[in-house]
Amino acid sequence: MSEDQNNNHSGVGLVVRGLRKSFGEQEVLKGLDIEVKPGEIFVIMGPSGSGKSVLLKHLIGLEEPDAGEILINGEPLTTPEIAAKYRMALVFQSGALLNSLTLGENVGLYLTEHHLKSPDEIKKIVEEKLADVGLKDAVDKMPSELSGGMKKRAAIARALVIEPQLILYDEPTSELDPLSAVVIGNEILDLNRRIHVTSLVVSHDRDLAFGVADRIAVIIDGQIVTVGTPDEVKNFNDPRVKEFLHADFKREK
Amino acid sequence: MFENIGEIVLLFWRTLLALPQAWRQRDKVFDQFFEIGNASLLMVCVLSFFIGAVIALQTGPVLVESSLPSAVGGVVGIAIAKELAPVMMAILIAGRIGSAMAAELGSMRVYQEIDALRTMNINPIHYLVLPRILAIAVALPLLVVFSVLVGWFGGATVADLNHRMEIPYRVFFSDLRDIVELRDVANGVFKSFCFAIIIGVVSCHQGLVTIGGPRGIGRSVTKAVVNSIVLIVIFDYLLTRFLLK
Ligand SMILES: Nc1ncnc2c1ncn2[C@@H]1O[C@H](COP(=O)(O)OP(=O)(O)OP(=O)(O)O)[C@@H](O)[C@H]1O
Ligand SMILES: [Mg+2]
């Protein structure tokens, strides 16, 4: 498989220019521009329904843009070949584990299906990644036996197995208790340090966002309102941004 | 109902192109295969026995009264082998297995599991569709062979016990052998192979295009079964008329 040819483990850069997408009458993304540097942790915050999940689906090739372009390391993400050349992973908001497989099989699925490792090696990697997210004892459980937060953590483990160069997290901490949220936040930081993966985190979680982000973008109503370091965004003088960050803070506590 | 015919043919074509992957997916093919057998063997048995029985009951007395008792075995044998076993089993399997395929793939679609596969560069056609279609394409013809045998036995039992016929088993089967050729059975089995492809492709397609939550899954299941059955009946005529004279 072509993804094997790319042994470069460090993160990739991501550029989005003028991205537009409508579903029927409803325009969800209204000309969106983002630039994420290789190895950066970039957090996108924004109210529910502002198009964050739709944006992530475009980045991983699950949706076709109506207009605009997406560049991975300067290459337009238009053909499956380019998409397959770089290892990218999306941690779905809902987890999206395969319900017919055990947790271990889910996490190892990428390796099993692409025949990248022997079964013993896969077993070891799966245990390792599950231990990373605190699910060591749940290897043989079915997804239906897990809590929402456990599913989310398993989904992160499944993404890690791909050893991605770009990892997209859709609300990684939305269903987690504060302690697990910190664990996940630290895992995001740690991965970034260890393999220099580029991380794009979509989150409502103010603590997570300001805790891990190199830069933060605020998306409201399909457009980026502001981009900057956490301090810049915190002090950004826009009533909508202030209101959002504030309201978010109150809800989370 | 037929607005998706183009997509269905396309899915069939893509599945054919995926055939070289079959060996890699063998475990899943076996899983599906045994699931089909498990889910339907008993039903096939009961259904086939009674189909054979009722055909003997409907035709036997008439033939005996017209002093053609030796035709009973042949009529029952031909009717079951060429027509009733393949079509009835296909309809049964559409209801039992096609619906399950549409429901499973539909829920995978709705709950983003298929999206998740795609993000992992796992082709849903290789991973989900191919094993199901291969399994049903092998399982249904085998079930039909089994169904033919049980159906004949059902017919023979009625012919033997019914006081208006009273044709002993041995006579029934020797009459049957005089008329039914291996080719007739092969005809039926070939038809059932085509029906299996129809059920598999239609149901998987319907599952993959499911939208809109649990209600969407329900709609997909109904559509998969109804469309499969309609296509089975249409193809039954076409195959019989043009291929299997
Ligand atoms: N496949 C689709 N078809 C039609 N509309 C869609 C589709 N996907 C998303 N939308 C619409 O796009 C808008 C943005 O959805 P999206 O899921 O991106 O929100 P979000 O920012 O991720 O919100 P949340 O924080 O609640 O997850 C919503 O109004 C939604 O109804
Ligand atoms: Mg979302």
Side-chain angles (χ1 to χ4, degrees):
Chain A
M1 289 257 134
S2 51
E3 64 263 37
D4 302 347
Q5 291 153 14
N6 182 15
N7 289 319
N8 185 358
H9 282 255
S10 58
V12 290
L14 172 72
V15 176
V16 176
R17 282 204 210 106
L19 189 65
R20 285 178 179 277
K21 180 71 179 183
S22 305
F23 291 106
E25 292 286 280
Q26 184 195 9
E27 192 172 22
V28 178
L29 301 179
K30 303 172 180 171
L32 205 112
D33 301 292
I34 316 177
E35 196 168 340
V36 184
K37 297 179 200 127
E40 186 176 35
I41 301 182
F42 191 92
V43 177
I44 296 179
M45 303 183 77
S48 192
S50 54
K52 303 182 299 294
S53 297
V54 172
L55 169 65
L56 292 186
K57 282 189 189 159
H58 278 85
L59 298 181
I60 195 122
L62 290 176
E63 296 275 4
E64 293 272 329
D66 294 339
E69 56 180 355
I70 299 165
L71 306 175
I72 305 281
N73 260 6
E75 292 184 86
L77 187 71
T78 42
T79 62
E81 287 76 51
I82 302 282
K85 190 165 145 194
Y86 298 104
R87 286 188 307 273
M88 297 190 272
L90 169 61
V91 179
F92 283 80
Q93 190 163 0
S94 60
L97 300 172
L98 270 62
N99 275 305
S100 54
L101 302 181
T102 67
L103 203 53
E105 288 165 344
N106 260 291
V107 172
L109 186 64
Y110 178 82
L111 300 175
T112 332
E113 280 308 305
H114 293 302
H115 299 270
L116 298 177
K117 297 265 159 61
S118 72
D120 284 343
E121 282 174 300
I122 292 176
K123 192 157 169 268
K124 223 180 94 219
I125 294 172
V126 165
E127 275 169 7
E128 204 175 282
K129 301 296 177 194
L130 280 175
D132 278 353
V133 294
L135 286 175
K136 201 169 58 199
D137 301 324
V139 189
D140 294 320
K141 285 216 161 73
M142 299 304 284
S144 57
E145 301 170 311
L146 302 180
S147 73
M150 288 163 91
K151 281 185 204 168
K152 187 61 73 63
R153 282 183 280 160
I156 292 174
R158 183 174 69 179
L160 295 184
V161 164
I162 299 175
E163 301 197 330
Q165 296 167 288
L166 172 62
I167 181 161
L168 311 170
Y169 301 89
D170 199 350
E171 312 271 4
T173 59
S174 61
E175 282 169 277
L176 300 186
D177 61 274
L179 195 63
S180 312
V182 168
V183 170
I184 294 301
N186 281 331
E187 182 66 25
I188 293 173
L189 281 170
D190 186 45
L191 267 174
N192 191 256
R193 224 174 292 132
R194 238 171 42 219
I195 57 176
H196 304 294
V197 60
T198 309
S199 312
L200 186 63
V201 186
V202 160
S203 184
H204 291 143
D205 184 342
R206 208 192 76 118
D207 289 340
L208 176 78
F210 286 92
V212 304
D214 294 321
R215 287 191 303 151
I216 295 179
V218 178
I219 176 175
I220 292 176
D221 207 16
Q223 278 176 316
I224 300 287
V225 183
T226 175
V227 188
T229 63
D231 282 336
E232 284 166 9
V233 169
K234 215 179 278 177
N235 300 322
F236 187 72
N237 221 340
D238 182 313
R240 287 180 302 174
V241 176
K242 280 203 142 63
E243 191 194 333
F244 171 70
L245 291 179
H246 188 60
D248 193 65
F249 180 75
K250 257 167 101 179
R251 200 183 56 184
E252 292 291 325
K253 288 282 140 147
Chain B
M1 166 195 160
F2 294 116
E3 70 268 27
N4 295 326
I5 269 301
E7 286 173 31
I8 293 173
V9 173
L10 188 66
L11 179 65
F12 178 53
W13 175 242
R14 292 213 178 121
T15 311
L16 284 182
L17 292 183
L19 268 179
Q21 301 282 327
W23 182 246
R24 279 184 143 195
Q25 304 290 350
R26 61 190 179 278
D27 292 348
K28 284 190 251 345
V29 179
F30 286 130
D31 285 351
Q32 292 291 331
F33 180 78
F34 287 115
E35 217 173 296
I36 295 173
N38 242 341
S40 48
L41 211 51
L42 186 66
M43 268 198 283
V44 166
C45 211
V46 174
L47 198 64
S48 306
F49 184 87
F50 281 98
I51 290 172
V54 82
I55 286 300
L57 195 61
Q58 293 276 23
T59 57
V62 182
L63 291 169
V64 173
E65 274 158 33
S66 325
S67 40
L68 284 167
S70 65
V72 177
V75 167
V76 172
I78 290 277
I80 289 177
K82 290 182 84 167
E83 194 56 40
L84 288 166
V87 173
M88 295 300 278
M89 290 312 114
I91 290 174
L92 175 74
I93 292 298
R96 186 68 186 75
I97 305 299
S99 59
M101 286 182 184
E104 200 177 356
L105 267 53
S107 91
M108 293 188 74
R109 171 71 207 264
V110 167
Y111 297 111
Q112 296 190 310
E113 293 177 28
I114 290 181
D115 282 347
L117 287 176
R118 284 168 60 200
T119 68
M120 288 188 276
N121 273 322
I122 297 172
N123 187 332
I125 292 181
H126 298 180
Y127 185 77
L128 299 171
V129 177
L130 179 69
R132 283 174 172 73
I133 291 180
L134 280 181
I136 198 173
V138 177
L140 185 53
L142 288 179
L143 285 175
V144 166
V145 171
F146 179 65
S147 161
V148 168
L149 296 176
V150 176
W152 284 348
F153 178 68
T157 305
V158 168
D160 184 44
L161 298 181
N162 189 282
H163 62 92
R164 289 163 69 193
M165 289 177 270
E166 291 180 338
I167 302 167
Y169 279 102
R170 216 159 30 81
V171 178
F172 179 93
F173 278 109
S174 99
D175 292 344
L176 188 150
R177 264 207 304 276
D178 286 343
I179 302 208
V180 182
E181 292 169 28
L182 192 60
R183 252 191 63 196
D184 298 323
V185 179
N187 265 358
V189 171
F190 175 74
K191 280 206 284 193
S192 74
F193 173 76
C194 302
F195 299 157
I197 305 274
I198 291 174
I199 298 168
V201 178
V202 168
S203 305
C204 287
H205 168 263
Q206 198 58 53
L208 290 177
V209 299
T210 302
I211 40 168
R215 280 186 66 196
I217 299 172
R219 260 199 309 272
S220 274
V221 171
T222 315
K223 267 182 142 178
V225 174
V226 172
N227 291 359
S228 299
I229 292 177
V230 172
L231 284 175
I232 285 167
V233 175
I234 294 174
F235 269 78
D236 182 38
Y237 177 79
L238 295 177
L239 286 169
T240 309
R241 174 72 184 77
F242 294 108
L243 290 180
L244 310 169
K245 280 175 212 154

